[in-house]
């Protein structure tokens, strides 16, 4: 069995879901008392979030590369980054390590292709929605078109993620606001919705 290197803590609220689901999926495949072989690095998210707001992505990349290398040295066979937004740095992180990085957008795209969906709405942090790293990968590698919420809705989505979901607050009014935004995207032609921030699934 391969050992998974899990780079989490961004935020820990969703990282625990990654850990839980990986173990459940391995157990479903192998049965009995089997569980996943995981080496996990859970980083302190506050300094990274401060660097995000400053636009200091090189500083974030240096920090995540250090953690990824530590996971590799500890015996991980592959790397999973347990956050959509930090896949903005996936290329640099992947180049700095010898083990493969399993890209979250590739997994999403393959699932969309299985369900024959070619036009999707994307929810996530403002970085994930407004920058091209996620949308371009879906389009260029898989031919999947992405549409976004409008600027007001993107701001609301981002504020709920950082001010509520990352802090363990799951409010019914926020869920309803998200559902309203999702319905707007559906009306614009979205055949499916990517919850492109793992905290959203908690809502």
């Amino acid at each position: 069995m391969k050992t998974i290197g899990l780079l989490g803590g961004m935020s820990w609220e969703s990282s625990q879901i990654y850990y839980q689901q990986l173990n459940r999926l391995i157990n479903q495949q192998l049965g009995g008392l089997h569980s996943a072989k995981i080496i996990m690095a859970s980083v302190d998210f506050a300094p990274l979030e401060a660097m995000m707001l400053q636009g200091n992505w090189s500083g974030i990349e240096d920090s995540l590369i250090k953690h990824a290398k530590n996971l590799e040295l500890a015996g991980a066979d592959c790397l999973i980054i347990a956050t959509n937004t930090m896949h903005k740095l996936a290329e640099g992180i992947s180049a700095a390590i010898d083990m493969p990085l399993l890209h979250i957008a590739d997994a999403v795209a393959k699932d969309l292709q299985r369900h024959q969906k070619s036009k999707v709405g994307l929810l996530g942090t403002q970085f994930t929605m407004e920058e091209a790293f996620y949308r371009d990968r879906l389009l260029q590698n898989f031919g999947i078109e992405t549409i976004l919420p409008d600027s007001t809705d993107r701001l609301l989505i981002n504020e709920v993620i950082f001010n509520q979901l990352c802090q363990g607050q799951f409010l019914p009014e926020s869920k309803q606001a998200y559902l309203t935004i999702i319905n707007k995207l559906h009306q614009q032609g979205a055949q499916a919705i990517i919850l492109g921030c793992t905290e959203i699934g908690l809502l």
Side-chain angles (χ1 to χ4, degrees):
M1 186 190 301
K2 300 286 187 181
T3 298
I4 300 167
L6 182 60
L7 185 51
M10 300 167 282
S11 71
W12 71 266
E13 290 282 353
S14 63
S15 296
Q16 62 182 328
I17 304 301
Y18 279 85
Y19 180 81
Q20 183 183 68
Q21 287 297 102
L22 287 166
N23 279 291
R24 282 181 174 168
L25 288 167
I26 291 294
N27 184 258
Q28 287 171 13
Q29 290 292 317
L30 301 179
L33 295 177
H34 284 290
S35 56
K37 292 174 65 178
I38 298 172
I39 303 170
M40 184 172 181
S42 186
V43 307
D44 181 8
F45 191 30
L48 299 184
E49 195 256 352
M51 285 191 279
M52 288 166 65
L53 295 177
Q54 296 163 3
N56 183 11
W57 289 96
S58 62
I60 297 172
E61 184 175 78
D62 289 344
S63 176
L64 296 185
I65 286 173
K66 177 182 175 183
H67 288 289
K69 286 183 174 180
N70 286 340
L71 288 169
E72 191 169 35
L73 287 171
D77 295 304
C78 62
L79 179 68
I80 296 174
I81 304 175
T83 161
N84 288 267
T85 299
M86 294 306 172
H87 280 74
K88 172 182 168 69
L89 306 172
E91 185 176 341
I93 295 171
S94 180
I97 56 178
D98 293 324
M99 60 181 169
L101 189 159
L102 308 181
H103 200 290
I104 198 166
D106 294 349
V108 169
K110 289 172 185 176
D111 195 59
L112 288 168
Q113 288 183 329
R114 277 196 295 272
H115 291 88
Q116 299 181 324
K117 307 300 182 186
S118 59
K119 185 174 183 178
V120 298
L122 174 62
L123 274 61
T125 66
Q126 283 185 288
F127 303 105
T128 300
M129 291 186 289
E130 296 177 359
E131 299 192 29
F133 66 91
Y134 201 106
R135 291 179 282 119
D136 281 357
R137 193 173 184 98
L138 293 179
L139 183 62
Q140 294 169 6
N141 293 359
F142 302 94
I144 296 171
E145 179 186 354
T146 304
I147 57 176
L148 300 177
D150 64 33
S151 58
T152 301
D153 287 343
R154 293 198 301 270
L155 181 61
L156 183 149
I157 292 165
N158 190 77
E159 288 180 346
V160 168
I161 289 169
F162 283 100
N163 298 331
Q164 296 177 25
L165 306 183
C166 286
Q167 300 180 44
Q169 299 178 38
F170 313 110
L171 306 181
E173 56 266 33
S174 296
K175 179 179 179 179
Q176 186 55 54
Y178 271 48
L179 289 171
T180 299
I181 293 168
I182 287 169
N183 285 329
K184 288 182 191 177
L185 293 171
H186 177 56
Q187 291 166 9
Q188 295 170 39
Q191 302 166 324
I193 301 295
I194 299 172
L195 303 182
C197 175
T198 36
E199 278 76 21
I200 299 174
L202 300 173
L203 187 64

